[in-house]
Amino acid sequence: MVNDPAKFDFVISFISIGTGIDQTSHNRFAAYLASLTNEVTCQTIHWGMEGEVDYCINLNVGSEDLREKIRTKFMAIQNGSRRVTISLNAPCSHLRQGK
């Protein structure tokens, strides 16, 4: 778990480069995220005109094993897509202050 309240354990961003987001990866990610309801807290920020979205995620428990398991699964979902970015211990850049 991140100790800095301005940072999140994971920030997963689905971005567009003029072709919309990677919908296949997004659907796989959304299904996996739904399975983690007890393990994580997530803020979803829709910010673009082509479906761009950030998922700012914190672990509810401080297990390094769980963190690595989730990171590995996120990387598998990304599967080299240039339209999915994964940041660790990072601020959620599209999160509006006061929300």
Side-chain angles (χ1 to χ4, degrees):
M1 294 188 315
V2 172
N3 291 328
D4 182 345
K7 292 185 178 180
F8 291 83
D9 292 307
F10 303 96
V11 178
I12 314 298
S13 298
F14 290 85
I15 62 172
S16 172
I17 48 176
T19 57
I21 65 169
D22 181 335
Q23 198 63 52
T24 300
S25 292
H26 184 263
N27 291 344
R28 289 174 37 212
F29 171 79
Y32 181 62
L33 184 62
S35 75
L36 297 173
T37 55
N38 294 327
E39 290 89 357
V40 302
T41 301
C42 179
Q43 294 184 50
T44 305
I45 297 96
H46 298 272
W47 54 268
M49 296 174 55
E50 295 182 342
E52 295 92 341
V53 60
D54 291 343
Y55 293 90
C56 306
I57 301 167
N58 276 324
L59 297 177
N60 292 336
V61 294
S63 164
E64 284 303 316
D65 289 340
L66 177 61
R67 178 188 309 278
E68 184 58 25
K69 175 184 169 189
I70 291 172
R71 187 193 69 77
T72 299
K73 182 66 174 182
F74 286 164
M75 296 300 287
I77 290 169
Q78 179 193 30
N79 195 28
S81 176
R82 295 183 319 144
R83 295 179 290 160
V84 182
T85 64
I86 299 172
S87 302
L88 306 175
N89 301 321
C92 194
S93 60
H94 294 102
L95 184 63
R96 292 185 181 94
Q97 297 300 319
K99 287 207 172 199

